[in-house]
Amino acid sequence: MPWPSRKRDKGAVADKKEPDAKMAKTEEETEDKEEEEKSTKPPAGSSKSGWKNWKKAKESDSGGEESKITYCHWLLKSEPESRLEKGVDVKFSIEDLKAQPNQTTFWEGVRNYQARNFLRAMKLGQQAFFYHSNCKEPGIVGIVKIVKEAYPDHTQFDQKDPHYDSSSRKENPKWSMVDVQFVRMTKRFIPLSEIKTHHLAHKADGGPLKNMMLFSRQRLSIQPLTQEEFDFVLSLEEEKPH
């Protein structure tokens, strides 16, 4: 059995290296309203962040056509350093995932409605970044894939679990989880600080990271990514660290 409730749940803990998002380690009690993301194509433009060259390469690969923006990838936050929550250590790094049978585990303990809805939207085979959070140097360390779509999170019914929810009923569970499997490590660690530099540049010139939820919804432990966001961030593993 994997460690109980070790993921970044509740979408509440801000990354230590992100000064603009100082938050309490507790869940927002009010339900997040579902937000519809409008599909928009990023405008052309140059960028010191490397967006212009990346965009040219992608257009060449796709015959110059820009794909419609949809959320088809994910970013999953987990804590690689020990932290007790109601007496339970919620630490779970990508190395812990690799140590699981078949390098697979269930992603339980999410207690934020919007994050839960994102879990329920995940499709078999979709890939996600594994993101180390609430640590000295937060950032992306690897890639996982969804190997089982959403089903009831059993920890909501376990009174000994720190994420027990007395208001949830087995006939109508409030919380869900998915199963994920390790795919590979990224070729290098991609720190939050580097992603933020590109995000700020893209906000100015219309690059793919301009609306990245990592910076607009920092509390969420489960975040969707567009194809362009995923591809651009993944391309950073080929670059030398700044």
Side-chain angles (χ1 to χ4, degrees):
M1 284 290 292
W3 294 271
S5 306
R6 69 277 182 189
K7 283 87 181 179
R8 267 182 51 103
D9 64 306
K10 305 180 181 179
V13 183
D15 292 312
K16 293 180 179 178
K17 297 295 262 185
E18 181 57 53
D20 298 329
K22 297 180 180 178
M23 309 162 211
K25 294 185 175 69
T26 56
E27 179 185 4
E28 293 182 89
E29 296 297 333
T30 57
E31 179 173 355
D32 290 291
K33 295 182 179 179
E34 296 182 6
E35 298 178 356
E36 294 182 355
E37 296 292 338
K38 297 182 179 179
S39 296
T40 57
K41 294 182 179 180
S46 61
S47 170
K48 296 179 180 179
S49 67
W51 153 236
K52 184 176 181 180
N53 291 335
W54 177 88
K55 181 174 182 289
K56 285 182 177 179
K58 291 298 292 181
E59 288 179 346
S60 176
D61 293 339
S62 62
E65 295 182 1
E66 295 177 342
S67 60
K68 181 180 180 181
I69 294 178
T70 56
Y71 290 127
C72 50
H73 295 279
W74 310 92
L75 183 146
L76 308 179
K77 295 183 179 181
S78 190
E79 299 187 39
E81 298 175 0
S82 291
R83 179 176 69 82
L84 294 180
E85 186 170 316
K86 298 182 180 180
V88 176
D89 192 350
V90 297
K91 169 187 176 294
F92 193 78
S93 69
I94 197 166
E95 294 301 326
D96 293 321
L97 173 61
K98 290 166 66 178
Q100 297 301 306
N102 202 30
Q103 297 184 317
T104 301
T105 191
F106 44 80
W107 204 268
E108 91 292 6
V110 172
R111 297 296 183 267
N112 173 282
Y113 286 99
Q114 188 174 25
R116 179 207 64 184
N117 292 343
F118 288 144
L119 279 175
R120 291 179 175 179
M122 292 178 178
K123 301 300 181 185
L124 196 67
Q126 288 183 335
Q127 293 190 336
F129 287 127
F130 194 109
Y131 180 98
H132 278 172
S133 184
N134 195 32
C135 54
K136 184 177 180 180
E137 185 67 25
I140 293 169
V141 293
I143 298 173
V144 300
K145 65 179 179 181
I146 310 305
V147 293
K148 185 175 181 179
E149 294 181 6
Y151 61 104
D153 178 352
H154 64 270
T155 65
Q156 64 193 301
F157 306 119
D158 185 355
Q159 296 186 26
K160 296 181 180 180
D161 192 275
H163 303 117
Y164 169 67
D165 185 349
S166 61
S167 67
S168 186
R169 298 289 179 264
K170 289 187 177 181
E171 61 272 16
N172 186 27
K174 291 173 61 176
W175 308 110
S176 302
M177 61 184 182
V178 298
D179 287 358
V180 302
Q181 183 178 46
F182 174 79
V183 174
R184 69 174 178 87
M185 302 293 291
T186 47
K187 294 180 182 179
R188 68 175 179 89
F189 173 67
I190 305 174
L192 171 65
S193 57
E194 181 179 345
I195 301 171
K196 185 175 183 179
T197 296
H198 291 291
H199 163 68
L200 293 175
H202 291 186
K203 284 181 68 176
D205 65 26
L209 303 190
K210 64 177 182 177
N211 295 320
M212 192 175 186
M213 200 171 289
L214 184 61
F215 305 101
S216 62
R217 298 285 294 180
Q218 297 98 326
R219 288 180 180 271
L220 290 179
S221 61
I222 309 293
Q223 301 187 359
L225 296 171
T226 65
Q227 185 69 54
E228 285 192 328
E229 288 171 341
F230 184 85
D231 288 346
F232 184 88
V233 173
L234 189 60
S235 75
L236 298 178
E237 70 175 354
E238 304 289 349
E239 299 181 6
K240 293 182 179 180
H242 295 293

